[in-house]
Amino acid sequence: MPRVDADLKLDFKDVLLRPKRSSLKSRSEVDLTCTFTFRNSKQTYTGIPIIVANMDTVGTFEMAVVMAKHAMFTAIHKHYSLEEWKLFAANHPECLEAGNVVTGEMVEELILSGADIIKVGIGPGSVCTTRIKTGVGYPQLSAVIECADSAHGLKGHIISDGGCSCPGDVAKAFGAGADFVMLGGMFAGHDQCAGEIMEKNGKKVKLFYGMSSDTAMKKHAGGVAEYRASEGRTVEVPYRGDVELTILDILGGLRSTCTYVGAAKLKELSRRTTFIRVTQQHSQVFS
Ligand code: 5GP
């Protein structure tokens, strides 16, 4: 007989971080740089652990150059040619991970099989339709809390992948225990993204689509194979100019979160986190 797990599972929108006693006097005192040594490869990473998703719209070489300036990295999409890669990969090191999963037992399985960093998230993405097409998924905040616990028990690391729609969600993902946070939609629509700027109803837009959407599969595989369904959508997002301002907005938000909960370093954020369940995130007066 199928089992029903009646425990409540939560998403970013269901919680806020509870402010705590803080001796930090300025947001500039917060250190967002983290250093990790990975369990299996023994490699060491130092940087701000935010990753641009490996989607062909946002995971571009142009994006990687700007992110690297801020000590953040980009999971480059897999559709560049070998020649394009050779040109780019002189100075830019790679990083590998395994996923995507949402349960502690799969995290443990992957880490014990040799993976260092596990990507967590099934169905939370901004252009993902997996939950609609398959009925499978797991609310992202709970997935991160549970998977981080399993990974950290084995000295492994996790990436919270998908579902962040604002800097506050990024902070909640770190608060929940994510070592890294991967973002797609929040970086869409910028100069550094692939694709042309289009004019729609007098507004400038850029195309953003899931890597399992009809658009991506037509572009890279000649169409959706008969045995599968598209699990992504295509959207037009407002053109947002240089990604630099968006990066500063996210990092500024994170520093602010840390000051509210008294974390001098991003690495301390999850230890300083108490989530409170809420029924509303913010005022709707001007929504
Ligand atoms: P976002 O930050 O936009 O909410 O989520 C980005 C993540 O969505 C990506 O890192 C990837 O895991 C996921 N994603 C990207 N394209 C697709 C897709 O077409 N289908 C599904 N199911 N997930 C996608």
Side-chain angles (χ1 to χ4, degrees):
M1 211 168 62
R3 258 173 29 85
V4 177
D5 179 352
D7 278 357
L8 184 68
K9 303 294 177 190
L10 301 171
D11 238 313
F12 298 130
K13 67 169 179 27
D14 301 315
V15 298
L16 285 170
L17 286 128
R18 187 174 180 275
K20 293 209 168 139
R21 189 165 53 80
S22 173
S23 55
L24 292 160
K25 294 195 176 54
S26 158
R27 283 154 178 75
S28 62
E29 288 176 27
V30 175
D31 184 5
L32 296 180
T33 306
C34 298
T35 296
F36 301 118
T37 299
F38 299 119
R39 177 191 195 265
N40 293 315
S41 68
K42 310 291 180 223
Q43 282 196 53
T44 297
Y45 157 89
T46 298
I48 298 178
I50 292 177
I51 310 172
V52 182
N54 50 324
M55 302 169 75
D56 69 357
T57 40
V58 292
T60 62
F61 290 148
E62 293 88 340
M63 187 68 86
V65 170
V66 182
M67 297 300 285
K69 278 201 301 192
H70 293 273
M72 291 148 75
F73 68 93
T74 304
I76 308 276
H77 71 73
K78 64 182 181 189
H79 299 289
Y80 282 118
S81 70
L82 203 57
E83 288 312 308
E84 288 170 312
W85 260 114
K86 276 186 194 158
L87 277 177
F88 181 77
N91 307 313
H92 304 84
E94 289 175 55
C95 178
L96 299 174
E97 78 275 321
N100 281 30
V101 301
V102 285
T103 58
E105 70 260 29
M106 276 309 294
V107 167
E108 287 167 8
E109 181 80 30
L110 291 171
I111 291 173
L112 294 174
S113 304
D116 282 321
I117 318 173
I118 312 302
K119 215 140 65 89
V120 173
I122 294 185
S126 58
V127 281
C128 164
T129 57
T130 292
R131 292 178 184 174
I132 298 162
K133 288 291 173 72
T134 69
V136 176
Y138 211 99
Q140 187 68 359
L141 184 88
S142 291
V144 171
I145 291 173
E146 293 168 30
C147 291
D149 188 48
S150 298
H152 296 162
L154 291 172
K155 298 203 177 339
H157 293 85
I158 67 157
I159 300 172
S160 170
D161 177 19
C164 289
S165 59
C166 56
D169 289 347
V170 179
K172 289 174 191 175
F174 282 119
D179 303 291
F180 296 85
V181 177
M182 180 172 266
L183 307 173
M186 282 180 66
F187 286 122
H190 293 96
D191 289 333
Q192 289 79 1
C193 300
E196 300 305 314
I197 302 169
M198 300 176 295
E199 193 99 10
K200 283 284 165 78
N201 304 321
K203 294 207 169 93
K204 288 181 176 174
V205 296
K206 280 189 103 162
L207 217 55
F208 178 59
Y209 47 83
M211 292 312 291
S212 299
S213 64
D214 287 4
T215 308
M217 286 201 263
K218 271 186 201 130
K219 190 168 170 189
H220 300 297
V224 183
E226 276 180 17
Y227 65 88
R228 61 181 294 178
S230 127
E231 285 181 35
R233 70 175 122 228
T234 301
V235 293
E236 286 165 359
V237 297
Y239 167 61
R240 299 167 70 194
D242 197 312
V243 75
E244 191 79 31
L245 280 182
T246 300
I247 293 173
L248 296 181
D249 193 46
I250 295 170
L251 300 185
L254 260 184
R255 282 192 200 94
S256 203
T257 310
C258 289
T259 57
Y260 277 118
V261 302
K265 294 173 189 258
L266 178 60
K267 233 179 162 178
E268 293 168 9
L269 180 55
S270 70
R271 265 178 279 138
R272 303 281 308 167
T273 291
T274 301
F275 288 117
I276 45 175
R277 280 215 62 204
V278 295
T279 52
Q280 188 174 308
Q281 286 282 311
H282 54 85
S283 169
Q284 300 295 321
V285 173
F286 297 110
S287 296

